[in-house]
Amino acid sequence: MRVPVTGLVGHPGETRALTRAVPAETFGSDPWGPAVGSVAGPVALDLHLDAVVEGVLVRGTVGFEVSLPCARCLEPQEHAFTVEVAELFVDPTKRDEHDEDDPGYELIDDLTAIDLSTLVRDALLIDLPVRALCRDDCQGLCPVCGADRNGGDCGHRDEVVPDPRWQALAELDLPTE
Ligand SMILES: [Zn+2]
Ligand SMILES: [Zn+2]
């Protein structure tokens, strides 16, 4: 997603708001990987573009709605979250050529634009919940018939004989998220 920054570059102190809801596809598919299908609805940008001596500082929030399956019963779960961002898009012509640091973000198109795609994708990937549960005590699916145990007892609860080799694991009190 390219955003024009003419009028900002070279005018430190200028600022411009960028408040917009943008379809997730606008930010491309690589490298969202498995995350791309989980974004539900538009991405809410609430950003300020501040002209600074080195380039343009982008700060504000990026809001996502994602739909992830419950890790136990596979019911889709909606999550909304907001990620704070603050990234400098530097003027590459002012970069110190001896600077060994990661080049990070740069102004493009002869200093007339920035591309927000990577920034937005990174914001999602960093904050995407790794494991969703519809509720802490979700009963999950029956391993015998596949029924959702939250919907009632399918009658198989006692048929599953735990393998004694796994019993020690089952007795471990693992922390839950
Ligand atoms: Zn569940
Ligand atoms: Zn069952």
Side-chain angles (χ1 to χ4, degrees):
M1 180 194 176
R2 283 167 182 239
V3 176
V5 292
T6 39
L8 287 173
V9 174
H11 300 90
E14 289 287 317
T15 188
R16 192 177 296 162
L18 176 65
T19 306
R20 201 181 297 171
V22 183
E25 309 81 70
T26 310
F27 304 101
S29 57
D30 181 50
W32 292 45
V36 71
S38 63
V39 179
V43 176
L45 303 180
D46 191 357
L47 301 172
H48 278 272
L49 314 183
D50 296 331
V52 295
V53 173
E54 300 85 357
V56 174
L57 178 66
V58 176
R59 61 185 172 82
T61 59
V62 183
F64 300 96
E65 272 178 48
V66 298
S67 177
L68 292 172
C70 170
R72 291 185 194 149
C73 71
L74 308 181
E75 266 307 303
Q77 304 303 310
E78 310 294 330
H79 294 264
F81 58 99
T82 301
V83 183
E84 299 218 6
V85 296
E87 295 289 348
L88 181 64
F89 288 73
V90 298
D91 177 347
T93 65
K94 292 189 180 158
R95 183 186 297 287
D96 179 354
E97 61 185 86
H98 302 295
D99 192 350
E100 297 286 312
D101 285 347
D102 176 1
Y105 299 110
E106 290 187 345
L107 299 171
I108 55 173
D109 293 348
D110 289 333
L111 315 181
T112 61
I114 57 175
D115 187 340
L116 291 179
S117 299
T118 305
L119 181 153
V120 170
R121 293 199 303 248
D122 285 354
L124 172 72
L125 292 178
I126 289 165
D127 266 44
L128 192 68
V130 178
R131 186 164 173 271
L133 284 182
C134 61
R135 56 183 211 230
D136 284 344
D137 63 346
C138 172
Q139 302 295 299
L141 301 179
C142 169
V144 177
C145 70
D148 184 348
R149 284 175 160 172
N150 298 306
D153 188 354
C154 57
H156 294 124
R157 194 164 291 268
D158 300 325
E159 284 189 27
V160 185
V161 181
D163 185 321
R165 287 172 296 179
W166 295 109
Q167 196 58 41
L169 276 179
E171 283 164 9
L172 277 177
D173 197 13
L174 293 172
T176 51
E177 295 175 19

